[in-house]
Amino acid sequence: MSVALSLGRRGLGKTWPNPSVGCVIVSGDFVVGRGLTGNGGRPHAETQALKQAGDLAKGATVFVTLEPCSHQGQTGSCANALIEAGVGHVVVAIKDDDPRVNGSGLQMLRSAGIKVTTGVLSEQATYDHSGFILKTNENRPKVTLKLAVSLDGRIATRSGDSQWITNERSRGVVHLQRASHDAIMVGAGTVRKDNPRLTVRNIARSSNPVRVLISDKINLPLESRLFASMKAHPTWIVHGADAEKETRQVWAGAGAKLLETTSISGIISIKSALKNLASEGLTSVYCEGGSQLAACLLSNNLVDELVIFTAGVLIGDDGLPTIASLGVNELKDAKRLNLLESVALDGDIMTRWSLK
């Protein structure tokens, strides 16, 4: 199952709207088939592994990180494919909560006389599939909030200069993390201030994660790198109903997908925005700021994982704060996080925190 999980992780950020599943087929002492979900969600991991195993799948044990699907979609049911292959035992990490499956895949296997074992390395599998689980159960993608900060908690100097607070190795890790998510998200202020590309660089990928821009009135510069590269990289803009028709036409004409959502007093409802993204199939979003968007996500309890890259530099209290006001009056009301990981990166320190 550990090998199956490692296979599934290779597809993170590439398989949406489907989960990135890993599958290993063992006959006797030998691995006879391995598979992972294909880019774009198909083919499924089980069918890939069965194709590799061929006749050796008969009587074999199958390890799969998520319950095999039972429904007939664009491709056939994976549970049915396993039954037809004559496998003897299917070991599943976790059940699929998708209403179209939700235990029916396991029942199909058992009804066909196949031994079924569940719950193997379920904690790791739940983490790996957390984006798909959130999309299924809460109608929103998993949100990872990334911050690059000074030792004294600033993201830029008082003039707004922020490139680069962290070192080259930290930035390399950021690109790896971007690559494992379906989308990279920023607010309009970050686009205007930093003129980012929001692409994965120095890592082989068939396509870039979706670039998601949050801007109520689409108040975004036409001379930006994002506008210039719209045809090359998928770009979605989440905006409010008051965005001018002419502005919408300009960005849509350049290749952007426009998603209208709820806004209140010129501020996008981040809950509605994430719901829109989930409806479009996204399962995971890597948010890179700025401070207002970070505060909005945190205030609404919509951050699942926080990643902070801290550099050994001091900026002072006139620098820009990492997170805008959270309205905390008493320490007992402050958010408490659980440390998942701490890694030294050539002088910088990366920490990962869980908020759930």
Side-chain angles (χ1 to χ4, degrees):
M1 186 62 78
S2 180
V3 174
L5 285 165
S6 70
L7 285 170
R9 291 183 195 118
R10 296 181 188 180
L12 290 174
K14 303 174 186 176
T15 66
W16 64 275
N18 291 343
S20 183
V21 177
C23 180
V24 175
I25 301 177
V26 178
S27 180
D29 295 329
F30 298 95
V31 171
V32 296
R34 303 195 311 168
L36 66 153
T37 307
N39 291 352
R42 294 181 181 82
H44 290 185
E46 297 94 324
T47 55
Q48 295 273 69
L50 285 170
K51 182 179 179 180
Q52 191 177 92
D55 292 340
L56 294 175
K58 189 172 181 62
T61 299
V62 179
F63 296 85
V64 62
T65 62
L66 185 68
E67 177 185 357
C69 62
S70 55
H71 59 287
Q72 184 80 27
Q74 293 185 28
T75 56
S77 155
C78 288
N80 193 56
L82 292 168
I83 293 168
E84 290 181 350
V87 304
H89 186 188
V90 177
V91 183
V92 177
I94 57 173
K95 183 172 72 71
D96 185 350
D97 291 337
D98 187 318
R100 297 170 298 176
V101 186
N102 197 26
S104 59
L106 302 178
Q107 186 56 47
M108 281 179 64
L109 296 170
R110 292 188 176 107
S111 296
I114 297 172
K115 181 181 178 182
V116 175
T117 302
T118 60
V120 177
L121 297 186
S122 60
E123 187 173 343
Q124 293 98 313
T126 298
Y127 178 82
D128 289 353
H129 291 303
S130 55
F132 179 73
I133 292 169
L134 281 165
K135 184 172 84 73
T136 300
N137 294 333
E138 297 186 24
N139 198 21
R140 71 168 179 86
K142 175 182 179 179
V143 175
T144 300
L145 174 62
K146 167 256 172 179
L147 301 169
V149 305
S150 65
L151 272 178
D152 51 350
R154 297 295 189 243
I155 58 172
T157 66
R158 61 183 179 182
S159 67
D161 185 23
S162 62
Q163 298 181 347
W164 300 98
I165 286 179
T166 54
N167 62 32
E168 186 174 352
R169 189 173 176 196
S170 290
R171 297 196 296 274
V173 173
V174 168
H175 284 287
L176 284 170
Q177 293 177 351
R178 283 180 175 181
S180 68
H181 289 74
D182 302 343
I184 306 165
M185 182 171 73
V186 298
T190 297
V191 177
R192 292 191 293 268
K193 180 170 64 72
D194 293 342
N195 192 19
R197 283 175 279 187
L198 302 183
T199 56
V200 171
R201 298 185 287 281
N202 303 319
I203 300 170
R205 267 186 67 106
S206 58
S207 63
N208 200 67
V210 175
R211 305 184 300 187
V212 176
L213 317 178
I214 306 294
S215 180
D216 180 44
K217 290 185 169 59
I218 317 183
N219 185 16
L220 303 166
L222 298 180
E223 64 275 11
S224 64
R225 289 169 170 167
L226 289 167
F227 188 85
S229 59
M230 205 81 72
K231 300 289 187 184
H233 306 296
T235 306
W236 299 359
I237 302 176
V238 181
H239 63 87
D242 291 336
E244 293 183 356
K245 180 180 179 180
E246 294 77 8
T247 304
R248 299 190 197 197
Q249 290 174 339
V250 168
W251 283 88
K257 174 185 277 192
L258 303 185
L259 303 175
E260 184 177 317
T261 194
T262 305
S263 66
I264 303 170
S265 301
I267 299 174
I268 291 289
S269 165
I270 197 62
K271 289 183 178 180
S272 297
L274 292 177
K275 182 178 180 179
N276 281 21
L277 298 180
S279 297
E280 293 292 331
L282 295 185
T283 67
S284 62
V285 171
Y286 191 73
C287 180
E288 298 198 46
S291 61
Q292 293 289 345
L293 182 54
C296 185
L297 287 164
L298 288 165
S299 296
N300 284 280
N301 295 314
L302 292 171
V303 175
D304 302 288
E305 196 166 306
L306 177 64
V307 182
I308 301 180
F309 292 85
T310 304
V313 61
L314 297 171
I315 291 177
D317 72 354
D318 55 350
L320 300 181
T322 305
I323 301 168
S325 174
L326 294 176
V328 177
N329 290 319
E330 298 182 33
L331 192 57
K332 67 179 178 62
D333 298 323
K335 292 183 182 296
R336 296 285 180 177
L337 288 68
N338 298 314
L339 181 64
L340 299 175
E341 182 183 19
S342 179
V343 180
L345 299 170
D346 293 343
D348 290 352
I349 298 174
M350 182 197 76
T351 52
R352 289 194 310 117
W353 305 82
S354 169
L355 283 88
K356 301 293 182 183

